[in-house]
Amino acid sequence: MRAPAKVGLVAAGYVGAFLVASAVVAIYIASTSGPDRQTYGAMYDFGDSILFLAVLAVAAVPATGAALFFLRPHRSFWLAICVAAPAVAVTALVAMIQYVAGQGAAGAAAHTAWSALAVLRMVVCSWVTLTWFHPFQAH
């Protein structure tokens, strides 16, 4: 299979995942329409967004698997991943230290701003970790 066909297959998989997620959210919205959805619109919108992201993450697994399968023979890609993964892991340690140090700081504005960004990094990392590794945990 040639490279354009592989890219097209992976792209079609991601488009399909997007369409599946959109359809699930549309069905959910249709089944929960009522006065509560009108009254508490912002909360429902946030829940709809989380549902969309969760379904998209699950539906995109085959496309991501295909992309990684097609990238198997490309050693430079895997070397780049081997360098990037520890770098991202180090940012987790830095974010934790920054957050803990910010809790005791008495008010430097820049320090407080960096502490807020550290929390954001930790929250994003948690969502990514749950999305990627939750299906593989033993129950």
Side-chain angles (χ1 to χ4, degrees):
M1 184 180 292
R2 299 200 163 228
K6 292 177 184 178
V7 170
L9 182 65
V10 171
Y14 283 123
V15 168
F18 181 84
L19 293 175
V20 166
S22 298
V24 167
V25 171
I27 291 169
Y28 175 73
I29 289 172
S31 66
T32 59
S33 64
D36 282 345
R37 185 170 270 285
Q38 299 299 322
T39 305
Y40 305 109
M43 291 192 312
Y44 273 93
D45 289 344
F46 180 74
D48 296 344
S49 300
I50 296 297
L51 176 64
F52 176 81
L53 290 175
V55 173
L56 181 67
V58 171
V61 167
T64 303
L68 293 174
F69 179 79
F70 293 143
L71 288 168
R72 273 184 324 151
H74 299 283
R75 183 172 169 82
S76 59
F77 171 78
W78 296 106
L79 287 173
I81 292 296
C82 288
V83 170
V88 171
V90 167
T91 66
L93 182 60
V94 171
M96 184 196 68
I97 291 169
Q98 178 65 33
Y99 177 73
V100 170
Q103 294 302 309
H111 192 66
T112 306
W114 280 110
S115 183
L117 289 176
V119 172
L120 180 62
R121 192 259 179 236
M122 287 186 267
V123 169
V124 169
C125 182
S126 299
W127 280 101
V128 169
T129 302
L130 287 174
T131 302
W132 286 349
F133 296 114
H134 181 68
F136 303 113
Q137 294 177 354
H139 294 284

